[in-house]
Amino acid sequence: MARANLGSKPSQLITDRPKSMIATADRNRGVSALRGIAIAMVVLGHINRGILEGRAGSLDLPLMVLDFVLYTAHMPVFFYLAGYFTHQSLGNKAPGAFTKSKWASIVYPYLLWSVITVIAHSLISHIVRINHPVPLWALSQIAWAPINVLWFLYALLCMQLTAVLFRHRPYALLVVAIAASLAATTGISALQGNVAGKIAAHAPFLR
């Protein structure tokens, strides 16, 4: 039986153990700060686009520049954070358990919020004008055409399942992700204006 080191000083016992915990806490605070900044950028981006669609007049150019900056930055941040936690989860869970966990964390919220979004748009459209209304039939297409901002959950699921397949070939996954991103951002028509293009464009950030 192992014996405790009774000669250790109490202060050493108190201060030596938490070093890794302190590092983890600092890292988590950094992740939380990044997430908060990204969420603020999303909110500001939607407000900004609402103003632009309402014709901002003399403010068009600066607001367009702001729109470019916000939408260039905030989604890569979200996917980078998602990749950070995906890497940890794949290291702690078996592939089957990891895949099964996506039902509660991604698939169920995706389905639930798709229904809520369609119902909310249907009700609110009778009261106020909506710039981009979502018809009821959009629910029948959510297997391949996510509704509005829910494309992020759809893309995240596709990327994480791909990460499972490439879990033993991380460098091959990085090469594939970069190639897909280049294809999406250099104007290949099949990847323009659809969720496949969004997934491809942001794929390197998840790694």
Side-chain angles (χ1 to χ4, degrees):
M1 178 182 292
R3 296 182 179 179
N5 185 0
L6 299 179
S8 298
K9 297 179 180 179
S11 59
Q12 183 179 358
L13 293 175
I14 293 172
T15 58
D16 283 356
R17 285 186 60 192
K19 286 183 178 178
S20 60
M21 297 173 61
I22 292 172
T24 301
D26 289 341
R27 185 164 57 249
N28 289 340
R29 278 196 291 270
V31 168
S32 297
L34 272 178
R35 185 187 290 119
I37 291 170
I39 291 172
M41 292 174 72
V42 170
V43 174
L44 180 58
H46 283 289
I47 293 173
N48 186 57
R49 283 202 170 175
I51 296 173
L52 280 171
E53 290 179 359
R55 295 189 176 87
S58 61
L59 293 176
D60 269 355
L61 181 58
L63 290 181
M64 288 174 66
V65 172
L66 178 61
D67 181 81
F68 174 80
V69 171
L70 292 174
Y71 280 85
T72 299
H74 72 66
M75 291 315 299
V77 170
F78 275 125
F79 279 111
Y80 174 80
L81 294 175
Y84 172 79
F85 289 111
T86 297
H87 177 74
Q88 288 187 332
S89 295
L90 281 174
N92 297 328
K93 293 181 180 178
F98 176 84
T99 302
K100 186 177 180 180
S101 69
K102 297 303 107 182
W103 165 257
S105 62
I106 297 181
V107 177
Y108 176 70
Y110 175 74
L111 296 175
L112 176 63
W113 282 102
S114 294
V115 173
I116 291 175
T117 300
V118 168
I119 293 175
H121 273 249
S122 178
L123 294 175
I124 296 174
S125 63
H126 292 89
I127 303 172
V128 297
R129 187 180 74 86
I130 299 177
N131 289 335
H132 304 286
V134 179
L136 289 174
W137 52 260
L139 278 177
S140 65
Q141 300 181 352
I142 60 174
W144 64 87
I147 297 171
N148 292 346
V149 297
L150 296 176
W151 75 266
F152 174 75
L153 290 177
Y154 187 96
L156 189 58
L157 178 64
C158 292
M159 290 181 183
Q160 291 189 339
L161 294 181
T162 302
V164 173
L165 296 176
F166 282 86
R167 64 190 182 281
H168 297 308
R169 301 178 180 85
Y171 293 108
L173 176 59
L174 183 59
V175 170
V176 170
I178 292 174
S181 183
L182 288 173
T185 54
T186 52
I188 292 182
S189 58
L191 295 175
Q192 302 304 307
N194 55 45
V195 69
K198 292 179 178 178
I199 293 172
H202 294 92
F205 297 103
L206 189 67
R207 181 66 186 90

